[in-house]
Amino acid sequence: MSLFSKNNRRQQHGRRRTVDEQAGMGKTAGKGAGSFVPKEANKDAHKRGANRQTVATLTLHSFVSLHRQVGRDALTRLLNSPVASLLNSLLIAVAFSLPVLLFVLVSNVQVLGAAWDGQPKISIYLNHGVSQKIIDQRIADYRQDPLIKEVVYLSPEQGVNDFQQKAGLQDVISQLGFNPLPGVIELLPVSEASFEQLDDAVVHYQQMEGVDQVRLDRQWVQRLQAILTMLERFAIMLGGILGLTVVLVISNTVRLSIESRRDEIKIISMVGGTRGFIAMPFIYMGIWYGVIGAILAQVIVFSLLAVLSHEMMNIAGLYNSEMVLSGPGFGVLGVLLLAGIAFGVLGAMSSCYRHFQALVPD
């Protein structure tokens, strides 16, 4: 009751000052109307403009002061019941942290996939017996292609050595009496190249002289991208479902606060308090719950990432990568705070709308 009584006294005092100032303006205008001196008329106009500016400044100052006091009072009420406030905030934090954690893990897998040569390679198998001049010409052509950033040539002898080392068949070539493996040119496209552009490039390379067969190794890359796309969409849907959960939690918490202050709400309504004025403390309560829940969610996400960083480094080491698990950026953290504020306002407004119909008459 102290908050609302202070605000009512401030509003009445502001109205009295406004009326007095308007009366003074009327007297000044009346005196100015009796004379036809242009300089006096200009002075009266300047006075009236200054008075209107003063009234507008006082109104804006009262508006800001009211919101500051209501927000501080709502935070004080939350701190007065720390256990219940902490439990509700932790529930909101868990709902926020799950989609954020899934999004961060998907982003790290995408980066790790790129480090594992996630871009598909183009393998060009040359004809047997092709001359070295044609091979050099093909390598020069591929290096001039803007879609290609790296060209590697594997001679038939290098291909045989790699096959023998991986398969463990050291005498197979000596038993055959000839080398059946052709020369291979491996092309690594730029990361911006689309699959449509790579398909057109494969058709073009197939028609070049000395080329026997061209293959685009993209099947596993497409599978990885499809899985990551599915996980991203799942994270978005999970965020929407858990966001609705946050709204319901805040709405139920605000409902309990409304029930505990039922008599206070009725008295304020009887003395002329509007629904917006009465709902303001509860809206700020929802905002505080959303903000505190978002901050706790950030703490949970960074704590879990710190625990998982060692395992992620072990997995990256198995693929000869030195990747370090990265957390959410400032953009994600900012979106999380804005989501907490938005969900807090929605939850509080929905609860106020349902219960004020019976407590506050139109």
Side-chain angles (χ1 to χ4, degrees), residues 158-359:
Q158 291 176 339
V160 168
N161 293 332
D162 292 341
F163 176 77
Q164 290 177 346
Q165 291 177 1
K166 294 179 180 180
L169 302 175
Q170 304 296 332
D171 300 331
V172 63
I173 301 300
S174 59
Q175 293 177 1
L176 290 176
F178 67 97
N179 186 358
L181 299 181
V184 180
I185 301 177
E186 292 186 351
L187 308 179
L188 182 62
V190 295
S191 58
E192 297 82 8
S194 62
F195 285 118
E196 291 77 10
Q197 293 175 326
L198 295 180
D199 290 335
D200 295 338
V202 168
V203 175
H204 176 66
Y205 296 156
Q206 185 68 56
Q207 299 173 357
M208 289 184 172
E209 181 183 1
V211 175
D212 180 33
Q213 189 177 6
V214 181
R215 289 185 179 181
L216 177 61
D217 183 18
R218 67 176 187 177
Q219 185 176 15
W220 79 270
V221 178
Q222 288 178 318
R223 291 176 180 175
L224 178 61
Q225 291 180 348
I227 294 173
L228 294 178
T229 302
M230 182 192 66
L231 290 177
E232 287 180 351
R233 294 179 180 178
F234 177 74
I236 294 174
M237 292 186 294
L238 182 63
I241 295 173
L242 295 177
L244 179 60
T245 304
V246 170
V247 172
L248 295 177
V249 169
I250 295 177
S251 177
N252 184 66
T253 305
V254 172
R255 179 186 66 82
L256 296 176
S257 181
I258 292 175
E259 292 294 334
S260 64
R261 302 169 65 178
R262 176 185 291 266
D263 296 336
E264 179 182 345
I265 293 173
K266 289 183 178 180
I267 294 174
I268 297 172
S269 176
M270 292 173 61
V271 298
T274 62
R275 288 188 175 183
F277 181 78
I278 299 173
M280 193 183 303
F282 303 106
I283 293 177
Y284 271 100
M285 179 182 293
I287 292 175
W288 281 120
Y289 270 121
V291 170
I292 295 173
I295 294 174
L296 291 178
Q298 296 174 16
V299 175
I300 293 174
V301 169
F302 280 107
S303 300
L304 292 178
L305 291 179
V307 174
L308 296 175
S309 61
H310 182 68
E311 284 73 12
M312 181 63 72
M313 291 178 62
N314 291 336
I315 295 174
L318 295 176
Y319 290 88
N320 297 322
S321 175
E322 297 180 356
M323 175 190 166
V324 179
L325 187 64
S326 61
F330 290 104
V332 176
L333 301 181
V335 170
L336 193 59
L337 284 174
L338 292 177
I341 295 173
F343 291 152
V345 171
L346 289 176
M349 290 182 64
S350 63
S351 184
C352 291
Y353 176 78
R354 286 183 299 170
H355 294 85
F356 281 7
Q357 291 181 346
L359 296 177

